[in-house]
Amino acid sequence: MSPSADSNDIEEGLKFQPKFDASGLVTCVATDAGSGEVLMVAHMNDEALRKTIASGEAWYFSRSRQSLWRKGESSGHTQRVVEMRLDCDQDAIWIRVEQAGAACHTGRRSCFYRAVTPGDAGAQLAFVDADKLFDPAKVYR
């Protein structure tokens, strides 16, 4: 998957030319195909992107572990890709998925289970939709 310097070609053309960052990654937002709920944000390298396209299952690159991983390989909470889109300058990916179980490694349906609220001492967090669907200590040992 090769980059191109022609912005008109990237923005208006039909050639798939994902733009990876200096670390070789592109940001990916995963949403539930039915509800539209944002489930998670992760990163893909070239191999993860290719495997996702070829298999129809979400693959990511872990920056902390520096390794490729298939969503659900440990937990069984997989993501089947229904649709993949690229943003206008091809440096971000949006996948609509059918999520089996929870998307978040904390055991929650979505990684976005806290709301930012203003407070006298500055911004604070409040739990929203934070029920756990599984116990991470049992799943990830």
Side-chain angles (χ1 to χ4, degrees):
M1 298 180 204
S2 61
S4 170
D6 182 1
S7 64
N8 187 60
D9 183 42
I10 290 171
E11 294 171 357
E12 301 296 334
L14 296 178
K15 186 174 181 185
F16 184 62
Q17 303 176 75
K19 183 179 176 185
F20 297 93
D21 67 14
S23 299
L25 302 174
V26 63
T27 302
C28 179
V29 178
T31 63
D32 183 274
S35 69
E37 175 186 20
V38 177
L39 298 173
M40 59 183 280
V41 175
H43 296 87
M44 293 180 169
N45 63 2
D46 184 67
E47 184 179 6
L49 184 54
R50 287 177 189 274
K51 284 181 174 274
T52 299
I53 292 167
S55 70
E57 294 185 58
W59 285 78
Y60 300 105
F61 184 82
S62 170
R63 294 180 298 171
S64 60
R65 295 186 309 263
Q66 290 293 296
S67 64
L68 191 68
W69 58 283
R70 183 180 56 82
K71 181 65 179 164
E73 66 188 346
S74 298
S75 67
H77 300 269
T78 58
Q79 292 177 340
R80 187 182 76 75
V81 178
V82 173
E83 181 182 30
M84 177 183 286
R85 294 189 188 188
L86 221 54
D87 76 335
C88 56
D89 54 1
Q90 299 200 34
D91 67 354
I93 296 171
W94 170 27
I95 56 174
R96 295 176 56 242
V97 302
E98 289 179 346
Q99 176 69 52
C104 186
H105 73 282
T106 67
R108 294 174 174 93
R109 168 94 179 133
S110 168
C111 293
F112 295 89
Y113 55 88
R114 294 174 289 184
V116 179
T117 59
D120 293 337
Q124 299 174 337
L125 297 178
F127 285 103
V128 292
D129 302 321
D131 294 339
K132 290 191 177 190
L133 302 180
F134 71 89
D135 181 353
K138 291 180 180 174
V139 172
Y140 298 117
R141 298 188 202 264

